[in-house]
Amino acid sequence: MKILRTPDHCFAAIEGYPFEPHYSLIKTQDGSELRIHHIDEGPKGGPIILCMHGQPVWSYLYSRMIPFLVNAGIRVIAPDLPGYGKSDKPAAREDYSYQHQVDWMNQWLVQNDFKNLTFFGQDWGGLIGLRMIVDNSERFDRVAIGNTGLPYNPDVTQQEIDKVSAFRASARKLNLFSMSREIAKMNGINKDSGVSAFAYWQKYTWETPDLPVGIIASSSMERRNKLSIAMELLFQTLGLGKLSPFRTSVSRAFEAPFPSPDYKMATRAMPSQVPTIPDQSLEAQRKAWEFFEQFEKPFLCVGAGNDPITNGFEKPWLKRVPGTRGQPHQNIGGGHFFQWSKAEELSAILAQFINKNL
């Protein structure tokens, strides 16, 4: 397996990320060594929260929350998924199967012997982390999720499968703006399954070798005018992204792990691994839902409620998971990456959830 490692100097100018790095070496399916990075902040004797990010971001997403959680007496563990942040980056599309990523993070979890955990996951952090809980249930005492889910769609019609597959393979070209217009039309993961609109994101990410990760992240986390975004995108298209006067500190931070397009395979490949239509993960997802239908440990849903991609994510959990009963489920705004925009409020909710369920 070809594996890339982002040079340390790429992170030198990042603002607001003063955390000491911690590294673990795991083995991939072919025996290659893969280095996974994580943050470990806060009191060693405090209750532990495992915070997992999604695509296309990294643990920097939690940098605003960490001080609030630590001040509340909580120890924060925040890994970078393989392919992101300071973790190693497998270079091939087939490396990023859903199962591979679950297997890699399971190894990381066991190797570090983390236990008595509260889990919090968003986006792909939830997809992978929820499966980790199934495989390592004895290590988790509480679960919280936001703007994420455990996709399981066994009843999608063949007509819809063919439609999505044909669209992904079509010659139609998407850009950041045309893709964003379609995503904005989504009405949550539980409304018409979101399959058709989400396919635009899957197609765009895969067919864009130099995916504008920094622009995508910053556009979701801070107010930016379209001209600023267009000019930053132009500089990146010309290969001058590092020189762009339009790049914000947030955009710079989320682009930092990717010194060239070769490093961006995870950000491109993973959207197509979301099982919006039945694929090789179907049976594992079915078993995971069977597990959570018997899960009685405290389970909290706290989301944005104004994220077109994941609106309504909490509904199947509240209906099917016993541990959700009596918990203060809520939506707090802040969009898809609400860890950034609602850092203090989300941290307080999670701290209260932990302390009330010790």
Side-chain angles (χ1 to χ4, degrees), residues 55-342:
Q55 182 269 356
V57 295
W58 57 294
S59 59
Y60 186 79
L61 179 63
Y62 288 100
S63 61
R64 283 186 165 186
M65 290 180 62
I66 289 171
F68 295 117
L69 291 167
V70 169
N71 286 340
I74 295 169
R75 179 182 172 191
V76 182
I77 307 294
D80 290 330
L81 294 174
Y84 298 87
K86 296 184 177 183
S87 290
D88 284 350
K89 298 165 179 67
R93 183 179 193 176
E94 57 269 20
D95 296 334
Y96 291 98
S97 74
Y98 193 165
Q99 188 62 53
H100 280 181
Q101 295 176 84
V102 172
D103 292 343
W104 295 339
M105 293 309 295
N106 277 342
Q107 280 193 62
W108 168 84
L109 179 70
V110 172
Q111 182 174 315
N112 285 281
D113 197 27
F114 293 131
K115 50 187 143 182
N116 302 121
L117 297 170
T118 298
F119 173 77
F120 177 73
Q122 177 260 346
D123 193 86
W124 261 104
L127 271 71
I128 295 171
L130 288 163
R131 290 272 302 276
M132 291 167 63
I133 294 166
V134 174
D135 294 339
N136 304 274
S137 60
E138 74 284 356
R139 296 181 179 272
F140 294 88
D141 294 342
R142 299 159 217 90
V143 175
I145 59 171
N147 297 353
T148 190
L150 194 61
Y152 176 58
N153 298 298
D155 299 323
V156 177
T157 66
Q158 188 60 48
Q159 181 181 13
E160 185 68 19
I161 293 171
D162 292 344
K163 178 182 176 183
V164 171
S165 299
F167 175 73
R168 290 180 184 174
S170 72
R172 180 174 178 177
K173 297 299 181 185
L174 300 173
N175 59 42
L176 178 63
F177 299 103
S178 61
M179 177 277 298
S180 298
R181 284 194 297 270
E182 295 299 328
I183 291 296
K185 297 176 184 177
M186 288 184 66
N187 193 23
I189 59 176
N190 296 304
K191 313 286 180 57
D192 298 328
S193 77
V195 170
S196 298
F198 194 72
Y200 283 81
W201 174 242
Q202 294 171 317
K203 181 176 178 64
Y204 169 72
T205 52
W206 175 243
E207 295 182 353
T208 308
D210 193 9
L211 190 70
V213 173
I215 296 173
I216 291 168
S218 67
S219 298
S220 300
M221 298 180 200
E222 56 185 350
R223 291 185 177 180
R224 300 192 62 179
N225 63 59
K226 290 184 179 179
L227 178 60
S228 167
I229 294 170
M231 292 304 296
E232 183 179 348
L233 188 60
L234 175 61
F235 270 76
Q236 181 164 324
T237 302
L238 296 173
L240 302 172
K242 293 180 176 63
L243 302 176
S244 172
F246 300 96
R247 181 170 280 182
T248 69
S249 62
V250 175
S251 179
R252 188 174 298 110
F254 286 104
E255 192 70 35
F258 312 110
S260 79
D262 292 342
Y263 290 74
K264 292 184 174 181
M265 185 54 70
T267 68
R268 297 176 56 208
M270 284 177 62
S272 295
Q273 293 295 325
V274 176
T276 52
I277 57 178
D279 63 10
Q280 67 274 13
S281 69
L282 189 66
E283 181 62 12
Q285 298 297 88
R286 183 189 67 79
K287 291 180 178 179
W289 270 110
E290 285 186 351
F291 169 86
F292 281 111
E293 286 174 339
Q294 305 299 319
F295 191 82
E296 296 185 350
K297 295 177 183 178
F299 194 113
L300 177 69
C301 296
V302 53
N306 61 348
D307 172 25
I309 299 173
T310 64
N311 285 344
F313 81 93
E314 71 280 4
K315 292 180 180 180
W317 301 95
L318 300 184
K319 181 179 179 180
R320 300 170 68 178
V321 181
T324 62
R325 294 169 190 155
Q327 298 299 333
H329 312 289
Q330 56 195 292
N331 289 316
I332 62 174
H336 188 64
F337 296 113
F338 68 149
Q339 299 102 307
W340 185 267
S341 53
K342 294 286 186 177

